[in-house]
Amino acid sequence: MNKRQTFYGDIDRFWDVLDGEPYAVTEIMPISDERIDQLHIAAQEVYQIFEKVLPILRSMDDEALLELGFPVESLAFLRLETMRPLTVIGRFDFIATANRISLMEWNSDTPTFIKEVFEVNDVVAEKQGFERVNDGENKWLKATVRRAIEAAKYRTKQHPHVVFTSHGDHIEDRLTAEYLQSFWSDATYCPLHALEIRPEEGLYDEAGKRIDILYRQTFPIEMALLDRDEDGRNLGQLLLQLVETGRLEIINPPSAFLMQAKSVLALIWMLHETNHPYLSETDHMMIARYFLPTYLSADPFISSQRSFVKKPIFGREGDTVTVHDERGNIMLKNEQHTFRDQPAVYQAYQELPTYSLREEGEVAYMYGVFILGGRPSAIGVRAGERITGNRSYFVPIGRQHEGGRNV
């Protein structure tokens, strides 16, 4: 049995190799109890800031929301309040150095990296002599998914038809959706291409059965709004109209989409930088501690000669991200440009720390910290190039047994 089989061979329905290339590394990165505590505290305090700004976003007029980059078709949807807290499953991406933990972004609506962190990480770490980092969090994940569906049931019939969906031909997305689906015994899976929207009536699965609750963990709203059928109808807009009229419940809820826009980071920084009285002294301290300066223009960085990162407001996986020097020249860029037509935010550049893997060499890495129903949860590490993209590695992390050296 080779090393990869030793690590991952007994884990069912996991994609340790993607498109013929290794995705999950065959090495455990140690993590200290201190770092775990720091990341959990950071996630809790950052989440509190997003909770604080939600009423501001909900009170904004259409023009202000459009300025933040939200699609015009989504405005009515954004104001729906279907469940609390802000999101069911969200993931904060943090840069952690010796002196600071910095928030890169919050994937509040359609985070991936779920099965890797909640199920696979601790299994392989324990096999290699490390202690679990996320012990019990998979049970909390199951309870969180079930609570979300139970909450959605209050606005549907008592025995709803629950469907999980994703792109059927994308192995990572599909297996992630099916992993979450396993937490609700009566749920079924239907790939996106097989869903049928009947305007002003409902959403139907491939068997022609009307769907009451759609779990769309990896299907972004902003991408749905780009879909057109053969008659030119905006399928995403039709889908949102079903939600707005109460004919369909979706998870994650509308508030998760509202918070995922990176322009919300610019709003938070503006409130902090102008010392807005809406924020308490504690709020300002937490923003200064974790948030990076973020704007809707590059001008503040160029005028002060500071390097910065340009990110599409609804981008993902590092796609279309560029890193600029203090004069605005591009230093690094992602090879993909899917979101080049989107509005962008400009965030202070914070270099990722690096770690030496035996087989992959030196990689830049970041921590993903999940938030489940407002509670900090599982932690994982993604590593790769200085712009973390869709070719990054999953690096299992583990606590060392007592007497071992944590780093």
Side-chain angles (χ1 to χ4, degrees), residues 142-273:
K142 178 179 180 178
T144 299
V145 170
R146 293 184 63 82
R147 271 199 308 272
I149 296 174
E150 290 286 353
K153 282 173 60 177
Y154 283 106
R155 293 177 300 280
T156 65
K157 57 191 179 186
Q158 192 58 31
H159 299 288
H161 181 36
V162 181
V163 171
F164 286 70
T165 192
S166 72
H167 286 97
D169 58 354
H170 190 289
I171 189 66
E172 180 182 2
D173 285 1
R174 176 157 189 159
L175 292 181
T176 296
E178 291 179 347
Y179 171 57
L180 296 174
Q181 176 198 339
S182 69
F183 298 149
W184 190 264
S185 59
D186 294 334
T188 61
Y189 175 86
C190 181
L192 283 167
H193 74 268
L195 296 174
E196 180 191 358
I197 298 175
R198 300 179 190 174
E200 301 182 9
E201 184 180 338
L203 180 69
Y204 292 78
D205 65 14
E206 55 195 337
K209 186 175 181 180
R210 180 174 165 178
I211 299 167
D212 299 298
I213 301 172
L214 182 71
Y215 211 121
R216 51 168 195 92
Q217 185 63 47
T218 62
F219 181 44
I221 293 295
E222 67 274 13
M223 300 302 288
L225 291 172
L226 299 176
D227 285 349
R228 300 289 190 276
D229 65 10
E230 60 273 10
D231 297 320
R233 297 181 304 172
N234 186 322
L235 294 176
Q237 187 174 12
L238 293 174
L239 180 71
L240 297 192
Q241 287 172 354
L242 294 177
V243 180
E244 293 160 21
T245 56
R247 293 177 172 86
L248 177 70
E249 292 293 323
I250 63 171
I251 303 172
N252 276 314
S255 56
F257 177 58
L258 183 61
M259 287 294 161
Q260 180 146 307
K262 296 178 184 66
S263 50
V264 176
L265 298 172
L267 172 64
I268 290 170
W269 190 256
M270 182 274 291
L271 293 171
H272 170 62
E273 195 169 49

Side-chain angles (χ1 to χ4, degrees), residues 3 8 14 18 45 81 88 99 115 122 128 164 182 205 221 231 246 258 272 280 310 335 342 348 381 386 390 393:
K3 194 173 186 180
Y8 302 108
F14 179 57
L18 279 174
E45 295 187 345
E81 298 184 44
V88 177
N99 303 316
K115 179 162 180 166
D122 283 359
Q128 298 301 312
F164 286 70
S182 69
D205 65 14
I221 293 295
D231 297 320
L258 183 61
H272 170 62
S280 69
K310 180 182 178 182
E335 62 187 30
Q342 275 192 18
V381 165
R386 289 161 68 187
N390 64 353
Y393 298 110

Side-chain angles (χ1 to χ4, degrees), residues 119-134:
E119 180 175 290
V120 177
N121 186 92
D122 283 359
V123 171
V124 297
E126 203 166 45
K127 281 196 278 186
Q128 298 301 312
F130 288 78
E131 293 181 352
R132 292 172 172 259
V133 172
N134 301 315

